[in-house]
Amino acid sequence: MIIEITNYYALPGQADAVLAQRRRASEIRARLGLPAGRIFKKIEGTGPDVRWECVFDSRSDYERDLTARGASEEFTRARQDMHTLLERFERHLQQEAP
């Protein structure tokens, strides 16, 4: 199992816009036949304002997902729009430790 985690650190005053944009990106994923993933919003403490996670059965499933979203002009535009709202972005790929 592979988990992709993306962390979104909003520019000041943009946290709600970041959340809305992440929801749009997840809707695009669903239209592409990809899993929408799960979206989390910070309620307190330090860390990202918005976090997205998606689980893949294998590394090859993850690679196919990357290819599909990379080929989508709509998803590419959504990604570009998101980056106008961010102070910082992180992507992490993890797997369960045996």
Side-chain angles (χ1 to χ4, degrees):
M1 173 179 27
I2 301 291
I3 301 173
E4 180 182 4
I5 300 163
T6 55
N7 294 322
Y8 302 93
Y9 297 82
L11 288 168
Q14 296 298 316
D16 288 341
V18 168
L19 178 58
Q21 185 63 18
R22 181 61 253 182
R23 287 180 174 147
R24 279 191 286 280
S26 291
E27 290 169 3
I28 294 167
R29 288 181 58 80
R31 285 197 299 274
L32 293 171
L34 303 173
R38 295 173 37 184
I39 302 169
F40 301 87
K41 179 182 176 181
K42 178 172 67 174
I43 56 174
E44 65 180 53
T46 59
D49 297 287
V50 175
R51 176 184 176 111
W52 176 82
E53 295 182 3
C54 195
V55 176
F56 303 93
D57 290 333
S58 67
R59 182 67 186 240
S60 60
D61 288 342
Y62 171 73
E63 297 294 336
R64 280 191 290 278
D65 187 279
L66 275 180
T67 299
R69 59 182 131 148
S72 168
E73 289 181 27
E74 185 179 19
F75 192 84
T76 298
R77 280 192 308 276
R79 180 182 292 141
Q80 291 167 344
D81 291 345
M82 175 65 89
H83 284 280
T84 68
L85 303 169
L86 299 178
E87 190 171 272
R88 182 170 142 205
F89 171 81
E90 299 172 341
R91 175 178 286 119
H92 305 279
L93 199 59
Q94 300 182 341
Q95 65 183 15
E96 187 173 1

Coordinates of all heavy atoms in Angstrom, one line a residue:
M1 N 0.8 -1.2 0.0 CA 0.0 0.0 0.0 C 0.9 1.2 0.0 O 1.9 1.3 0.7 CB -0.9 0.0 1.2 CG -1.7 1.3 1.4 SD -2.8 1.4 2.8 CE -2.2 0.4 4.0
I2 N 0.5 2.2 -0.8 CA 1.2 3.5 -1.0 C 0.2 4.6 -0.6 O -0.9 4.5 -1.0 CB 1.7 3.7 -2.4 CG1 2.6 2.6 -2.9 CG2 2.3 5.1 -2.6 CD1 4.0 2.6 -2.2
I3 N 0.7 5.6 0.2 CA -0.1 6.7 0.5 C 0.5 8.0 0.0 O 1.7 8.2 0.3 CB -0.3 6.8 2.0 CG1 -1.0 5.5 2.6 CG2 -1.2 8.0 2.4 CD1 -1.1 5.5 4.1
E4 N -0.2 8.7 -0.8 CA 0.3 10.1 -1.2 C -0.3 11.1 -0.3 O -1.6 11.1 -0.1 CB -0.1 10.4 -2.6 CG 0.4 11.7 -3.1 CD 0.0 12.1 -4.5 OE1 -0.8 11.3 -5.1 OE2 0.4 13.1 -5.0
I5 N 0.5 11.9 0.3 CA 0.0 13.0 1.2 C 0.5 14.3 0.6 O 1.7 14.5 0.3 CB 0.6 12.8 2.6 CG1 0.2 11.4 3.2 CG2 0.2 14.0 3.5 CD1 1.0 11.0 4.3
T6 N -0.4 15.3 0.5 CA -0.1 16.6 0.0 C -0.5 17.6 1.1 O -1.6 17.5 1.7 CB -0.7 17.0 -1.3 OG1 -2.1 16.9 -1.3 CG2 -0.1 16.2 -2.4
N7 N 0.4 18.5 1.5 CA 0.2 19.5 2.5 C 0.2 20.9 1.8 O 1.1 21.2 1.1 CB 1.3 19.4 3.6 CG 1.2 18.1 4.3 OD1 0.2 17.6 4.6 ND2 2.4 17.6 4.7
Y8 N -0.9 21.6 2.1 CA -1.0 22.9 1.6 C -1.0 24.0 2.7 O -1.8 24.0 3.6 CB -2.4 23.0 0.9 CG -2.6 22.0 -0.2 CD1 -3.2 20.8 0.1 CD2 -2.1 22.3 -1.5 CE1 -3.4 19.8 -0.9 CE2 -2.3 21.3 -2.5 CZ -2.9 20.1 -2.2 OH -3.1 19.2 -3.2
Y9 N 0.0 24.9 2.6 CA 0.1 26.0 3.5 C -0.3 27.3 2.8 O 0.4 27.7 1.9 CB 1.6 26.1 3.9 CG 2.1 24.9 4.7 CD1 2.6 23.8 4.0 CD2 2.2 25.0 6.1 CE1 3.0 22.7 4.7 CE2 2.6 23.9 6.8 CZ 3.1 22.7 6.1 OH 3.5 21.7 6.8
A10 N -1.5 27.8 3.2 CA -2.1 28.9 2.5 C -1.4 30.2 2.7 O -0.8 30.4 3.8 CB -3.6 29.0 2.9
L11 N -1.4 31.1 1.7 CA -1.0 32.5 1.9 C -2.0 33.1 3.0 O -3.1 32.6 3.1 CB -1.1 33.2 0.6 CG -0.1 32.9 -0.4 CD1 -0.4 33.5 -1.8 CD2 1.3 33.4 0.0
P12 N -1.6 34.1 3.6 CA -2.5 34.7 4.6 C -3.9 35.0 4.1 O -4.0 35.6 3.0 CB -1.8 36.0 5.0 CG -0.3 35.7 4.8 CD -0.3 34.8 3.6
G13 N -4.9 34.6 4.8 CA -6.3 34.8 4.4 C -6.8 33.9 3.3 O -7.9 34.1 2.8
Q14 N -6.0 33.0 2.8 CA -6.4 32.1 1.7 C -6.8 30.7 2.0 O -7.0 29.9 1.2 CB -5.3 32.1 0.6 CG -5.0 33.5 0.0 CD -6.2 34.0 -0.8 OE1 -6.9 33.3 -1.5 NE2 -6.5 35.3 -0.6
A15 N -6.9 30.4 3.3 CA -7.1 29.0 3.7 C -8.5 28.4 3.1 O -8.5 27.3 2.7 CB -7.1 28.8 5.2
D16 N -9.5 29.2 3.2 CA -10.8 28.8 2.6 C -10.7 28.6 1.1 O -11.3 27.6 0.6 CB -11.9 29.7 3.0 CG -12.3 29.7 4.4 OD1 -12.0 28.7 5.1 OD2 -12.9 30.7 4.9
A17 N -10.0 29.5 0.4 CA -9.8 29.3 -1.0 C -9.0 28.1 -1.3 O -9.3 27.4 -2.3 CB -9.2 30.6 -1.6
V18 N -8.0 27.8 -0.5 CA -7.2 26.5 -0.7 C -8.1 25.3 -0.6 O -8.0 24.4 -1.4 CB -6.0 26.5 0.2 CG1 -5.3 25.1 0.2 CG2 -5.0 27.6 -0.1
L19 N -8.9 25.3 0.5 CA -9.8 24.2 0.7 C -10.8 24.0 -0.5 O -11.0 22.9 -1.0 CB -10.6 24.4 2.0 CG -11.6 23.3 2.3 CD1 -11.0 21.9 2.4 CD2 -12.4 23.7 3.6
A20 N -11.3 25.1 -1.0 CA -12.2 25.1 -2.1 C -11.5 24.6 -3.4 O -12.1 23.7 -4.1 CB -12.9 26.4 -2.4
Q21 N -10.3 25.0 -3.6 CA -9.5 24.5 -4.7 C -9.2 23.1 -4.6 O -9.2 22.3 -5.6 CB -8.3 25.4 -4.9 CG -7.5 25.1 -6.2 CD -8.3 25.4 -7.4 OE1 -9.3 26.1 -7.4 NE2 -7.9 24.8 -8.5
R22 N -8.9 22.6 -3.4 CA -8.6 21.2 -3.3 C -9.8 20.3 -3.6 O -9.7 19.3 -4.2 CB -8.1 20.9 -1.8 CG -7.7 19.5 -1.5 CD -6.6 18.9 -2.4 NE -7.1 18.0 -3.4 CZ -6.4 17.4 -4.2 NH1 -5.1 17.5 -4.3 NH2 -6.9 16.5 -5.1
R23 N -11.0 20.8 -3.1 CA -12.2 20.1 -3.5 C -12.5 20.1 -5.0 O -12.9 19.0 -5.5 CB -13.4 20.8 -2.7 CG -13.4 20.6 -1.3 CD -14.6 21.3 -0.6 NE -14.6 20.9 0.8 CZ -15.0 21.7 1.8 NH1 -15.4 22.9 1.5 NH2 -15.0 21.2 3.0
R24 N -12.2 21.2 -5.7 CA -12.3 21.2 -7.1 C -11.4 20.1 -7.8 O -11.8 19.4 -8.7 CB -12.0 22.6 -7.7 CG -13.2 23.5 -7.6 CD -13.0 24.8 -8.4 NE -12.1 25.7 -7.8 CZ -12.4 26.5 -6.8 NH1 -13.6 26.6 -6.3 NH2 -11.5 27.4 -6.3
A25 N -10.1 20.1 -7.3 CA -9.2 19.1 -7.8 C -9.6 17.7 -7.6 O -9.5 16.8 -8.4 CB -7.8 19.4 -7.2
S26 N -10.2 17.5 -6.4 CA -10.7 16.1 -6.1 C -11.9 15.8 -7.0 O -12.1 14.6 -7.4 CB -11.1 16.0 -4.7 OG -9.9 16.0 -3.9
E27 N -12.8 16.7 -7.3 CA -13.9 16.5 -8.3 C -13.3 16.2 -9.7 O -13.9 15.3 -10.3 CB -14.8 17.7 -8.3 CG -15.6 18.0 -7.1 CD -16.2 19.3 -7.0 OE1 -16.1 20.1 -8.0 OE2 -16.8 19.6 -6.0
I28 N -12.3 16.9 -10.1 CA -11.7 16.6 -11.4 C -11.1 15.1 -11.4 O -11.3 14.4 -12.3 CB -10.5 17.6 -11.7 CG1 -11.1 19.0 -11.9 CG2 -9.7 17.1 -12.9 CD1 -10.1 20.1 -11.9
R29 N -10.4 14.8 -10.3 CA -9.9 13.4 -10.2 C -11.0 12.4 -10.4 O -10.9 11.4 -11.1 CB -9.3 13.2 -8.8 CG -7.9 13.9 -8.6 CD -7.4 13.6 -7.2 NE -7.2 12.2 -7.0 CZ -6.2 11.5 -7.5 NH1 -5.2 12.0 -8.2 NH2 -6.1 10.2 -7.2
A30 N -12.2 12.6 -9.7 CA -13.3 11.7 -9.8 C -13.8 11.6 -11.3 O -14.1 10.5 -11.7 CB -14.4 12.1 -8.9
R31 N -13.9 12.7 -11.9 CA -14.3 12.7 -13.4 C -13.3 12.0 -14.2 O -13.7 11.4 -15.3 CB -14.5 14.2 -13.9 CG -15.7 14.8 -13.4 CD -16.1 16.0 -14.2 NE -15.1 17.1 -14.2 CZ -15.0 18.0 -13.2 NH1 -15.8 18.1 -12.2 NH2 -14.1 19.0 -13.4
L32 N -12.1 12.0 -13.8 CA -11.0 11.2 -14.6 C -11.0 9.7 -14.3 O -10.2 9.0 -14.8 CB -9.6 11.8 -14.3 CG -9.4 13.2 -14.8 CD1 -8.0 13.7 -14.3 CD2 -9.4 13.3 -16.3
G33 N -11.9 9.3 -13.3 CA -11.9 7.9 -12.9 C -10.9 7.6 -11.9 O -10.6 6.4 -11.6
L34 N -10.3 8.6 -11.2 CA -9.3 8.4 -10.2 C -10.0 8.5 -8.8 O -11.0 9.2 -8.7 CB -8.2 9.4 -10.3 CG -7.5 9.5 -11.7 CD1 -6.6 10.7 -11.7 CD2 -6.8 8.2 -11.9
P35 N -9.4 7.9 -7.8 CA -10.0 8.1 -6.5 C -9.9 9.5 -6.0 O -8.9 10.2 -6.3 CB -9.1 7.2 -5.6 CG -7.9 6.8 -6.4 CD -8.2 7.0 -7.8
A36 N -10.9 10.0 -5.4 CA -11.0 11.4 -5.0 C -10.0 11.7 -3.8 O -9.6 12.8 -3.7 CB -12.4 11.8 -4.6
G37 N -9.7 10.7 -3.0 CA -8.9 10.9 -1.9 C -9.7 11.6 -0.7 O -10.9 11.8 -0.8
R38 N -9.0 11.9 0.3 CA -9.6 12.5 1.5 C -9.0 13.8 1.8 O -7.7 13.9 1.7 CB -9.5 11.5 2.7 CG -10.2 10.2 2.6 CD -9.9 9.2 3.7 NE -9.8 9.9 5.0 CZ -9.5 9.2 6.1 NH1 -9.2 7.9 6.1 NH2 -9.4 9.9 7.2
I39 N -9.8 14.8 2.2 CA -9.3 16.1 2.4 C -9.5 16.4 3.9 O -10.6 16.1 4.5 CB -10.2 17.2 1.6 CG1 -10.0 16.9 0.1 CG2 -9.7 18.6 1.9 CD1 -11.0 17.7 -0.7
F40 N -8.5 17.0 4.5 CA -8.5 17.4 5.9 C -8.3 18.9 6.0 O -7.4 19.5 5.3 CB -7.5 16.6 6.7 CG -7.6 15.2 6.6 CD1 -7.1 14.4 5.6 CD2 -8.4 14.5 7.6 CE1 -7.2 13.1 5.5 CE2 -8.5 13.1 7.5 CZ -8.0 12.4 6.5
K41 N -8.9 19.5 7.0 CA -8.8 21.0 7.3 C -8.2 21.2 8.7 O -8.7 20.5 9.6 CB -10.1 21.7 7.1 CG -10.1 23.2 7.4 CD -11.4 23.8 7.3 CE -11.4 25.2 7.6 NZ -12.7 25.9 7.5
K42 N -7.2 22.0 8.8 CA -6.6 22.2 10.1 C -7.7 22.9 11.0 O -8.4 23.9 10.6 CB -5.4 23.1 10.0 CG -4.8 23.5 11.3 CD -3.4 24.2 11.2 CE -3.6 25.6 10.6 NZ -2.4 26.3 10.6
I43 N -7.8 22.4 12.3 CA -8.6 23.1 13.2 C -7.9 23.7 14.4 O -8.4 24.6 15.0 CB -9.7 22.1 13.8 CG1 -9.1 20.9 14.4 CG2 -10.7 21.7 12.7 CD1 -10.0 20.0 15.1
E44 N -6.6 23.3 14.6 CA -5.8 24.0 15.5 C -4.3 23.5 15.4 O -4.1 22.5 14.7 CB -6.2 23.8 17.0 CG -6.2 22.4 17.5 CD -6.7 22.3 18.9 OE1 -7.8 22.7 19.2 OE2 -5.9 21.7 19.7
G45 N -3.4 24.2 16.0 CA -2.0 23.8 16.0 C -1.3 24.3 14.7 O -1.8 25.0 13.9
T46 N 0.0 23.9 14.6 CA 0.8 24.2 13.5 C 0.6 23.1 12.4 O 0.0 22.1 12.6 CB 2.3 24.3 13.9 OG1 2.7 23.0 14.4 CG2 2.5 25.3 14.9
G47 N 1.1 23.4 11.3 CA 1.0 22.4 10.2 C 0.2 23.0 9.0 O -0.1 24.2 9.0
P48 N 0.0 22.2 8.0 CA -0.7 22.7 6.8 C -2.1 23.1 7.1 O -2.8 22.5 8.0 CB -0.7 21.5 5.9 CG -0.5 20.3 6.8 CD 0.2 20.7 8.0
D49 N -2.6 24.0 6.3 CA -4.0 24.5 6.5 C -5.0 23.4 5.9 O -6.1 23.2 6.4 CB -4.2 25.8 5.7 CG -3.4 26.9 6.3 OD1 -3.7 27.3 7.4 OD2 -2.4 27.3 5.7
V50 N -4.5 22.8 4.8 CA -5.3 21.7 4.2 C -4.3 20.5 3.9 O -3.2 20.8 3.5 CB -5.9 22.2 2.9 CG1 -6.6 21.1 2.1 CG2 -6.9 23.3 3.2
R51 N -4.8 19.3 4.0 CA -4.1 18.1 3.8 C -4.9 17.2 2.9 O -6.1 17.1 3.2 CB -3.7 17.5 5.1 CG -2.9 16.2 5.0 CD -2.8 15.6 6.4 NE -2.1 14.3 6.3 CZ -0.9 14.1 6.7 NH1 -0.2 15.0 7.2 NH2 -0.4 12.9 6.7
W52 N -4.3 16.6 2.0 CA -5.0 15.6 1.1 C -4.3 14.3 1.2 O -3.0 14.3 1.2 CB -5.1 16.1 -0.3 CG -5.7 15.2 -1.3 CD1 -7.1 15.0 -1.5 CD2 -5.1 14.3 -2.2 NE1 -7.3 14.1 -2.5 CE2 -6.0 13.6 -2.9 CE3 -3.7 14.0 -2.5 CZ2 -5.7 12.7 -3.9 CZ3 -3.4 13.1 -3.4 CH2 -4.4 12.4 -4.1
E53 N -5.0 13.2 1.2 CA -4.4 11.9 1.3 C -5.1 11.0 0.3 O -6.4 11.0 0.2 CB -4.5 11.2 2.7 CG -3.7 12.0 3.7 CD -3.8 11.3 5.1 OE1 -4.4 10.2 5.2 OE2 -3.2 11.8 6.0
C54 N -4.4 10.1 -0.3 CA -5.0 9.1 -1.2 C -4.2 7.8 -1.1 O -2.9 7.8 -1.1 CB -5.0 9.6 -2.7 SG -6.0 8.6 -3.7
V55 N -4.9 6.7 -1.0 CA -4.3 5.4 -0.8 C -4.3 4.6 -2.1 O -5.3 4.6 -2.8 CB -5.0 4.6 0.3 CG1 -4.4 3.2 0.4 CG2 -4.9 5.3 1.6
F56 N -3.2 4.0 -2.5 CA -3.0 3.2 -3.7 C -2.6 1.8 -3.3 O -1.8 1.6 -2.4 CB -2.0 3.8 -4.6 CG -2.3 5.2 -5.0 CD1 -1.8 6.3 -4.3 CD2 -3.2 5.5 -6.1 CE1 -2.1 7.6 -4.6 CE2 -3.5 6.8 -6.4 CZ -3.0 7.9 -5.7
D57 N -3.1 0.8 -4.0 CA -2.7 -0.6 -3.7 C -1.3 -0.9 -3.9 O -0.7 -1.7 -3.2 CB -3.6 -1.6 -4.4 CG -5.1 -1.6 -3.9 OD1 -5.3 -1.2 -2.8 OD2 -6.0 -1.9 -4.8
S58 N -0.7 -0.2 -4.9 CA 0.7 -0.5 -5.3 C 1.4 0.7 -5.9 O 0.7 1.7 -6.2 CB 0.7 -1.7 -6.3 OG 0.1 -1.2 -7.5
R59 N 2.7 0.6 -6.0 CA 3.4 1.7 -6.6 C 3.0 1.9 -8.1 O 2.9 3.0 -8.6 CB 4.9 1.4 -6.5 CG 5.8 2.5 -7.1 CD 5.7 3.7 -6.3 NE 6.5 4.8 -6.9 CZ 7.5 5.5 -6.3 NH1 7.8 5.1 -5.1 NH2 8.1 6.4 -6.9
S60 N 2.7 0.8 -8.8 CA 2.3 0.9 -10.2 C 0.9 1.6 -10.3 O 0.7 2.4 -11.2 CB 2.3 -0.5 -10.9 OG 1.4 -1.4 -10.2
D61 N 0.0 1.3 -9.3 CA -1.3 2.1 -9.3 C -1.0 3.6 -9.1 O -1.7 4.4 -9.8 CB -2.2 1.5 -8.2 CG -2.8 0.2 -8.5 OD1 -2.7 -0.3 -9.7 OD2 -3.2 -0.5 -7.5
Y62 N -0.1 3.9 -8.3 CA 0.2 5.3 -8.0 C 0.8 5.9 -9.3 O 0.4 7.0 -9.7 CB 1.2 5.4 -6.9 CG 1.8 6.8 -6.8 CD1 1.0 7.9 -6.3 CD2 3.1 7.1 -7.1 CE1 1.5 9.1 -6.1 CE2 3.6 8.4 -7.0 CZ 2.8 9.4 -6.5 OH 3.4 10.7 -6.4
E63 N 1.7 5.2 -10.0 CA 2.3 5.7 -11.2 C 1.2 5.9 -12.3 O 1.3 6.9 -13.0 CB 3.4 4.8 -11.7 CG 4.6 4.6 -10.8 CD 5.4 5.9 -10.6 OE1 5.4 6.8 -11.5 OE2 6.0 6.0 -9.5
R64 N 0.3 5.0 -12.4 CA -0.8 5.2 -13.4 C -1.7 6.4 -13.1 O -2.1 7.2 -13.9 CB -1.7 4.0 -13.4 CG -1.1 2.8 -14.3 CD -2.1 1.7 -14.5 NE -2.4 1.0 -13.3 CZ -1.7 0.0 -12.8 NH1 -0.6 -0.4 -13.4 NH2 -2.0 -0.7 -11.7
D65 N -1.9 6.7 -11.8 CA -2.6 7.8 -11.3 C -1.9 9.1 -11.7 O -2.5 10.0 -12.3 CB -2.8 7.8 -9.8 CG -3.7 8.8 -9.3 OD1 -3.2 10.0 -9.1 OD2 -4.9 8.5 -9.0
L66 N -0.6 9.1 -11.5 CA 0.2 10.3 -11.8 C 0.2 10.6 -13.3 O 0.0 11.7 -13.8 CB 1.7 10.0 -11.5 CG 2.2 10.3 -10.1 CD1 3.7 10.0 -10.0 CD2 2.0 11.8 -9.7
T67 N 0.2 9.5 -14.1 CA 0.1 9.7 -15.6 C -1.2 10.2 -16.0 O -1.2 11.2 -16.8 CB 0.4 8.3 -16.3 OG1 1.7 7.8 -15.9 CG2 0.3 8.4 -17.8
A68 N -2.3 9.7 -15.4 CA -3.6 10.2 -15.8 C -3.8 11.7 -15.5 O -4.3 12.4 -16.3 CB -4.7 9.3 -15.1
R69 N -3.4 12.1 -14.3 CA -3.6 13.5 -13.9 C -2.7 14.4 -14.7 O -3.0 15.5 -15.0 CB -3.6 13.7 -12.4 CG -2.3 13.3 -11.7 CD -2.4 13.5 -10.2 NE -1.9 12.4 -9.5 CZ -1.3 12.4 -8.3 NH1 -1.1 13.6 -7.7 NH2 -1.0 11.3 -7.7
G70 N -1.5 13.9 -15.0 CA -0.5 14.7 -15.7 C -1.0 14.9 -17.2 O -0.6 15.9 -17.8
A71 N -1.8 14.0 -17.7 CA -2.3 14.1 -19.0 C -3.6 15.0 -19.1 O -4.0 15.3 -20.2 CB -2.6 12.7 -19.6
S72 N -4.1 15.4 -18.0 CA -5.3 16.2 -17.9 C -5.0 17.7 -17.9 O -4.5 18.2 -16.9 CB -6.2 15.8 -16.7 OG -7.2 16.7 -16.5
E73 N -5.5 18.4 -18.9 CA -5.3 19.8 -18.9 C -6.1 20.5 -17.8 O -5.6 21.4 -17.2 CB -5.7 20.4 -20.3 CG -4.8 20.0 -21.4 CD -5.2 20.6 -22.7 OE1 -5.9 21.7 -22.7 OE2 -4.9 20.1 -23.8
E74 N -7.3 20.0 -17.5 CA -8.1 20.5 -16.5 C -7.4 20.4 -15.1 O -7.4 21.3 -14.3 CB -9.5 19.9 -16.5 CG -10.4 20.5 -15.5 CD -11.8 19.8 -15.5 OE1 -11.9 18.7 -15.9 OE2 -12.7 20.4 -14.9
F75 N -6.8 19.2 -14.9 CA -6.1 19.0 -13.6 C -4.9 19.9 -13.5 O -4.6 20.4 -12.5 CB -5.8 17.5 -13.4 CG -5.4 17.3 -12.0 CD1 -6.3 17.0 -11.0 CD2 -4.0 17.3 -11.6 CE1 -5.9 16.8 -9.6 CE2 -3.6 17.0 -10.3 CZ -4.5 16.8 -9.3
T76 N -4.2 20.0 -14.6 CA -3.0 20.8 -14.7 C -3.3 22.3 -14.3 O -2.6 22.9 -13.5 CB -2.3 20.8 -16.0 OG1 -1.9 19.4 -16.2 CG2 -1.1 21.7 -16.1
R77 N -4.4 22.8 -14.9 CA -4.9 24.2 -14.6 C -5.3 24.3 -13.1 O -4.9 25.3 -12.4 CB -6.1 24.6 -15.4 CG -5.7 25.0 -16.8 CD -6.8 25.7 -17.6 NE -8.1 24.9 -17.6 CZ -8.3 23.9 -18.5 NH1 -7.5 23.6 -19.4 NH2 -9.5 23.2 -18.4
A78 N -5.9 23.3 -12.6 CA -6.3 23.3 -11.1 C -5.1 23.3 -10.3 O -5.0 24.1 -9.3 CB -7.2 22.1 -10.8
R79 N -4.1 22.6 -10.6 CA -2.8 22.6 -9.9 C -2.1 24.0 -9.9 O -1.7 24.5 -8.9 CB -1.9 21.5 -10.4 CG -0.5 21.4 -9.7 CD 0.4 20.4 -10.3 NE -0.1 19.1 -10.1 CZ -0.1 18.1 -11.0 NH1 0.5 18.3 -12.2 NH2 -0.6 16.9 -10.7
Q80 N -2.1 24.6 -11.1 CA -1.5 25.9 -11.3 C -2.3 26.9 -10.5 O -1.7 27.8 -9.8 CB -1.5 26.3 -12.8 CG -0.5 25.5 -13.6 CD -0.7 25.6 -15.1 OE1 -1.8 26.1 -15.5 NE2 0.3 25.2 -15.8
D81 N -3.6 26.9 -10.5 CA -4.4 27.8 -9.7 C -4.2 27.6 -8.2 O -4.1 28.6 -7.5 CB -5.9 27.6 -10.0 CG -6.3 28.0 -11.4 OD1 -5.5 28.7 -12.1 OD2 -7.4 27.6 -11.8
M82 N -4.0 26.4 -7.8 CA -3.7 26.2 -6.4 C -2.4 26.8 -5.9 O -2.4 27.5 -4.9 CB -3.6 24.7 -6.1 CG -3.2 24.3 -4.7 SD -4.5 24.8 -3.4 CE -5.5 23.3 -3.4
H83 N -1.4 26.7 -6.7 CA -0.1 27.3 -6.4 C -0.1 28.8 -6.2 O 0.7 29.4 -5.6 CB 1.0 26.8 -7.3 CG 1.4 25.4 -7.0 ND1 2.2 25.0 -5.9 CD2 1.0 24.2 -7.5 CE1 2.3 23.7 -5.9 NE2 1.6 23.2 -6.8
T84 N -1.1 29.5 -6.8 CA -1.3 31.0 -6.6 C -1.8 31.3 -5.2 O -1.7 32.4 -4.8 CB -2.2 31.6 -7.7 OG1 -3.5 31.2 -7.5 CG2 -1.7 31.3 -9.1
L85 N -2.3 30.3 -4.5 CA -2.9 30.5 -3.2 C -2.0 30.1 -2.1 O -2.3 30.2 -0.9 CB -4.2 29.7 -3.1 CG -5.3 30.0 -4.1 CD1 -6.4 28.9 -4.0 CD2 -5.8 31.4 -3.9
L86 N -0.8 29.5 -2.4 CA 0.0 28.9 -1.4 C 1.3 29.6 -1.1 O 1.9 30.2 -1.9 CB 0.4 27.5 -1.9 CG -0.7 26.5 -2.2 CD1 -0.1 25.2 -2.7 CD2 -1.5 26.3 -0.9
E87 N 1.6 29.5 0.2 CA 2.9 29.9 0.7 C 3.9 28.8 0.6 O 5.1 29.0 0.3 CB 2.7 30.3 2.2 CG 3.9 31.0 2.8 CD 3.4 31.4 4.2 OE1 2.9 32.6 4.3 OE2 3.6 30.7 5.2
R88 N 3.4 27.5 0.7 CA 4.3 26.3 0.7 C 3.4 25.1 0.4 O 2.3 25.0 0.7 CB 4.9 26.2 2.1 CG 5.8 25.0 2.3 CD 6.5 25.2 3.6 NE 6.7 23.8 4.2 CZ 6.8 23.6 5.5 NH1 6.7 24.6 6.4 NH2 6.9 22.4 6.0
F89 N 4.0 24.2 -0.3 CA 3.4 23.0 -0.8 C 4.4 21.8 -0.5 O 5.6 21.9 -0.7 CB 3.1 23.0 -2.2 CG 2.6 21.7 -2.8 CD1 1.3 21.3 -2.6 CD2 3.5 20.9 -3.5 CE1 0.9 20.1 -3.2 CE2 3.1 19.7 -4.0 CZ 1.7 19.3 -3.9
E90 N 3.8 20.7 0.0 CA 4.6 19.5 0.2 C 3.9 18.3 -0.4 O 2.7 18.2 -0.2 CB 4.9 19.2 1.7 CG 5.6 20.3 2.4 CD 5.6 20.1 3.9 OE1 4.8 19.3 4.4 OE2 6.5 20.7 4.6
R91 N 4.6 17.4 -1.0 CA 4.1 16.1 -1.4 C 5.0 15.0 -0.7 O 6.2 15.1 -0.8 CB 4.1 15.9 -2.9 CG 3.6 14.5 -3.3 CD 3.5 14.3 -4.8 NE 2.4 15.0 -5.3 CZ 2.4 16.0 -6.2 NH1 3.6 16.4 -6.7 NH2 1.3 16.6 -6.6
H92 N 4.3 14.0 -0.1 CA 5.0 12.9 0.5 C 4.4 11.6 0.0 O 3.2 11.5 -0.2 CB 4.9 13.0 2.0 CG 5.3 14.3 2.6 ND1 6.7 14.5 2.8 CD2 4.6 15.4 3.0 CE1 6.8 15.8 3.3 NE2 5.6 16.3 3.5
L93 N 5.2 10.7 -0.2 CA 4.8 9.3 -0.6 C 5.3 8.4 0.5 O 6.5 8.3 0.7 CB 5.4 9.0 -2.0 CG 4.7 7.9 -2.8 CD1 3.3 8.1 -3.0 CD2 5.5 7.6 -4.1
Q94 N 4.4 7.6 1.1 CA 4.8 6.8 2.2 C 4.2 5.4 2.0 O 3.2 5.2 1.2 CB 4.3 7.4 3.5 CG 5.0 8.7 3.7 CD 4.6 9.3 5.1 OE1 3.6 8.9 5.7 NE2 5.3 10.3 5.6
Q95 N 4.7 4.5 2.7 CA 4.2 3.1 2.8 C 4.2 2.7 4.3 O 5.0 3.2 5.0 CB 4.9 2.1 1.9 CG 6.3 1.9 2.3 CD 7.0 0.9 1.3 OE1 6.5 0.7 0.2 NE2 8.1 0.4 1.7
E96 N 3.4 1.7 4.6 CA 3.4 1.2 5.9 C 4.6 0.5 6.2 O 5.1 -0.3 5.4 CB 2.2 0.3 6.1 CG 2.0 -0.2 7.6 CD 0.7 -1.0 7.8 OE1 0.0 -1.2 6.8 OE2 0.5 -1.4 8.9
A97 N 5.2 0.8 7.4 CA 6.5 0.1 7.8 C 6.2 -1.3 8.3 O 5.3 -1.5 9.1 CB 7.2 0.9 8.9
P98 N 7.0 -2.3 7.8 CA 6.7 -3.6 8.3 C 7.1 -3.8 9.7 O 7.9 -3.1 10.3 CB 7.6 -4.5 7.4 CG 8.6 -3.5 6.7 CD 8.0 -2.2 6.8

